[in-house]
């Protein structure tokens, strides 16, 4: 039996987003909500809510996607969460353009 890995986005009580990867999604969400790690981003931002997840069969693919999401802007994460896939290329382009100072 193959393991399934999940890349997930949770929305915290302060409206920030947290991106993570796990092989047991429900257990990990419960851990975030239970506050088992006082040093984690989510500890003081509970309760949290799962707003996105995607399954992977290869842990390396999951880790690559997690790192990619962590680099995304808030607007781009929200487009993904809200299934506005058509907005993703534009949001990527705008981010590049704003970093170079071009319009």
């Amino acid at each position: 039996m193959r393991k399934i890995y999940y890349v997930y986005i949770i929305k915290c009580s302060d409206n920030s987003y947290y991106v993570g990867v796990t092989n047991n999604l429900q257990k990990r969400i419960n851990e975030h909500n239970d506050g088992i790690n006082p040093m984690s981003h989510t500890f003081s931002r509970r309760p949290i809510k799962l707003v996105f997840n995607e399954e992977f069969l290869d842990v390396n693919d999951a880790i690559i996607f997690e790192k990619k999401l962590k680099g995304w802007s808030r607007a781009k994460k929200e487009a993904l969460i809200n299934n506005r896939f058509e907005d993703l290329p534009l949001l990527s382009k705008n981010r590049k353009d704003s970093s170079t100072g071009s319009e």
Side-chain angles (χ1 to χ4, degrees):
M1 185 169 129
R2 293 186 62 146
K3 269 194 176 179
I4 297 176
Y5 300 91
Y6 302 88
V7 174
Y8 62 93
I9 302 175
I10 53 179
K11 189 171 187 177
C12 300
S13 63
D14 67 353
N15 289 320
S16 65
Y17 291 113
Y18 176 87
V19 178
V21 65
T22 184
N23 65 355
N24 188 331
L25 186 58
Q26 191 56 56
K27 178 182 175 193
R28 189 67 184 114
I29 296 305
N30 290 342
E31 288 172 350
H32 282 296
N33 264 323
D34 292 344
I36 64 163
N37 181 359
M39 300 304 291
S40 78
H41 173 83
T42 60
F43 183 81
S44 62
R45 295 170 171 88
R46 293 173 288 151
I48 58 95
K49 178 182 175 188
L50 178 67
V51 293
F52 171 85
N53 71 89
E54 187 160 331
E55 295 181 3
F56 293 84
L57 295 177
D58 183 314
V59 68
N60 294 311
D61 291 341
I63 292 168
I64 289 167
F65 189 60
E66 176 201 24
K67 287 182 180 187
K68 184 185 295 188
L69 288 182
K70 285 184 175 189
W72 284 10
S73 68
R74 179 179 184 85
K76 193 169 178 181
K77 287 175 189 163
E78 289 178 344
L80 179 67
I81 291 163
N82 294 307
N83 296 318
R84 293 189 336 261
F85 305 113
E86 67 279 2
D87 292 349
L88 295 176
L90 180 61
L91 292 167
S92 295
K93 187 174 186 175
N94 285 343
R95 186 166 180 171
K96 278 190 223 168
D97 289 349
S98 66
S99 68
T100 62
S102 7
E103 293 185 34

